[in-house]
Amino acid sequence: MLTPDSDADPFDHANLEDPGPLHEKLREAGPVVRLARYDTYALARYEHVHAALTDWQRFQSGAGVGLSNFRYEKPWRPPSLLLEADPPHHDAPRRVLTKIIGPRSLHRLRDRWAAEADALVDRVLDGGGTLDAVPGLAEAFPLRVFPDAVGIPAEGRANLLPYGDHLFNAFGPPNDLVAQGNPRIAGLSAWVNAQCARDVLTPGGFGADIWAAADRGELTGEQAPLVVRSLLSAGVDTTVHGLSAVLYAFATNPAQWQRLRDQPSLARVAFDEAVRWESPVQTFFRTATTDVTVDGTTIPEGAKILMFLGAANRDPRRWDDPDRFDLGRDPSGHVGFGMGLHQCVGQHIARLEAASLLTALARRVTRLELAGPVRRHHNNTLRAWRSIPIRLHRS
Ligand code: OVM
């Protein structure tokens, strides 16, 4: 079968502002579409995105999960031992982190994070309840609880957001968004890397736990700081835009908010449904380790493949009424956290943050409504927000 070609640029500002029409075009054009301007192959249907995510042997991560191919180009920072690695190298760091930030270890944070969420929402309501939910809730809550949980000092935490923003831009092509971040990235990187040192990390935090795993021989002393760096890289912007997504979803779907208030135990399902609906991480690349035939079209060995998680999560072949944010559906199986070997190791942290914040809000707020025009933030990988003005009505 002949592979359809597209001259679309998924990373241009029109598509970053509203990717839905491009996603539909790519899904309908065929199982594989060649993106001519980047000489890469796009997968946008659920079935094929899922298949690529779970086939790490043929769709490798070790040559980078951005457009740049590490076989030919030097990465802008030393590669992640988790994200940009394949078995067997990938496995020890993954095993260590899975345990440190797994559901059992997070249990001890539940009460503290619930109290922090209660305090933040009380403060917001005492201030009148009209605010920009992006800085006021979606950034404020993760920045309040996550760096403490990792164990980094208070000083300089504001660097985490622009560092992550540039990192996620850098998975895309070297366009204006990357150029905008370039002047600051050396300084931001130096700060992030300095936070990964053993003597900087507070006892009892995830970072100290990673170094303790190195002491037990589960990681080398060279690996430990890079595993800490993964937490600081992947753990902030993703949750900020995930929380923004769920707040926007509720502000624009009042019946679903009522449903959550009636049944607060739906908070976790609500967050996963928002991750499906919005897909805060929109895309990742893989590299073909061999010629791969997908539904009759052949992707050549060495080619980059762009997986559209956001398009898969709204594929009508897989989801009924996919554009609806609906607490009544079962969102499990969504690929917003990826799937397979690399599936988001931090997803339990994200869910705990979201459940803490949504529960605090559901207990106190009868209605959430938009109080002005919302604004997107453009990023080559993230479906991101600049501003979500909201009004919270106290119960
Ligand atoms: C990492 C990393 C960075 C960005 C994203 C990510 C979504 C991981 O440094 O390991 O996963």
Side-chain angles (χ1 to χ4, degrees), residues 77 80 83 167-168 171 230 233-234 284:
R77 61 170 201 169
S80 162
L83 182 72
L167 166 66
F168 282 99
F171 294 122
S230 281
S233 298
F284 268 126

Side-chain angles (χ1 to χ4, degrees), residues 94 101-103 106 109-110 113-114 117 141-142 145-146 235 238-240 242-243 246 260 264-276 330-339 343-360:
R94 173 74 189 208
I101 59 176
L106 292 184
L109 292 170
R110 279 186 80 101
W113 287 15
F141 188 61
V145 299
F146 181 70
T238 49
T239 55
V240 166
L243 293 174
V246 77
L260 177 69
S265 62
L266 286 173
R268 278 163 186 269
V269 175
F271 181 63
D272 270 81
E273 170 63 353
V275 171
R276 180 200 69 80
D330 175 9
S332 62
H334 75 73
V335 291
F337 287 126
M339 196 53 74
Q343 191 183 38
C344 181
V345 70
Q347 61 185 281
H348 309 288
I349 298 178
R351 287 200 191 96
L352 183 59
E353 286 182 15
S356 309
L357 188 60
L358 289 175
T359 304

Side-chain angles (χ1 to χ4, degrees), residues 67-130:
L67 176 63
S68 158
N69 191 327
F70 295 174
R71 296 179 188 183
Y72 315 116
E73 283 179 275
K74 185 177 141 66
W76 71 273
R77 61 170 201 169
S80 162
L81 302 180
L82 287 122
L83 182 72
E84 296 157 321
D86 301 300
H89 317 284
H90 159 271
D91 300 337
R94 173 74 189 208
R95 206 157 34 236
V96 164
L97 210 44
T98 297
K99 191 155 159 230
I100 292 173
I101 59 176
R104 295 195 62 87
S105 322
L106 292 184
H107 195 79
R108 67 194 167 86
L109 292 170
R110 279 186 80 101
D111 292 348
R112 197 177 318 158
W113 287 15
E116 292 289 356
D118 287 344
L120 174 61
V121 173
D122 281 337
R123 240 176 2 256
V124 160
L125 291 172
D126 290 344
T130 299

Side-chain angles (χ1 to χ4, degrees), residues 138-139 142-143 146-147 150 152 157-165 168 230-243 349 353 382:
E139 292 179 357
L143 286 175
F146 181 70
V150 176
I152 66 169
R157 287 178 182 193
N159 289 326
L160 291 168
L161 282 168
Y163 178 80
D165 188 52
F168 282 99
S230 281
L231 285 182
L232 299 178
S233 298
V236 182
D237 299 63
T238 49
T239 55
V240 166
H241 298 296
L243 293 174
I349 298 178
E353 286 182 15
L382 300 170

Side-chain angles (χ1 to χ4, degrees), residues 12-23:
D12 73 21
H13 285 276
N15 285 322
L16 294 178
E17 180 66 24
D18 179 16
L22 171 66
H23 290 172

